[in-house]
Amino acid sequence: GLISIIAGAYIVAYPVAAAVVLPRIFVLILGIWGLMQGIVTLILAFRGGGWGLGILGVIGIVFGLILIVNYAVPGMGLAMLWVAAVWAVVSGLFAIYRAFQLRKV
């Protein structure tokens, strides 16, 4: 909560600087999220989740590393926004499909 208050106060005080910095931070957060999701998915694949989870895990790790390494490149936030959106939809659909498979078991 305290970090949110500080971040909000900073954005209100310096809106131009925030507009420049926030897309970079967004890309970094997406990269960390993609890396963590990829690692968890890969672990689940090794525990019997199947090849589909393994492939999604590797793609997630690669996606996360690309974003983390290139987060300071101008325009990366806009370019990767669509990639992140498509990745989230595909991962969500796969997770729902997998949940129905596990429910039958």
Side-chain angles (χ1 to χ4, degrees):
L2 185 60
I3 293 173
S4 295
I5 292 171
I6 293 170
Y10 182 81
I11 291 171
V12 169
Y14 304 104
V16 175
V20 172
V21 173
L22 282 178
R24 290 182 182 176
I25 292 172
F26 178 68
V27 170
L28 185 62
I29 290 171
L30 273 178
I32 293 169
W33 172 72
L35 184 64
M36 296 305 292
Q37 182 184 13
I39 290 170
V40 169
T41 306
L42 197 57
I43 290 170
L44 290 174
F46 282 123
R47 290 190 176 178
W51 285 99
L53 277 178
I55 292 169
L56 283 176
V58 170
I59 292 171
I61 291 171
V62 170
F63 170 70
L65 289 175
I66 288 171
L67 287 178
I68 290 171
V69 170
N70 295 319
Y71 84 95
V73 175
M76 184 64 106
L78 296 175
M80 286 299 174
L81 186 62
W82 286 101
V83 174
V86 170
W87 176 254
V89 169
V90 170
S91 295
L93 290 174
F94 188 77
I96 291 170
Y97 171 74
R98 188 71 177 146
F100 280 114
Q101 276 186 336
L102 291 175
R103 186 175 182 190
K104 290 179 184 178
V105 174

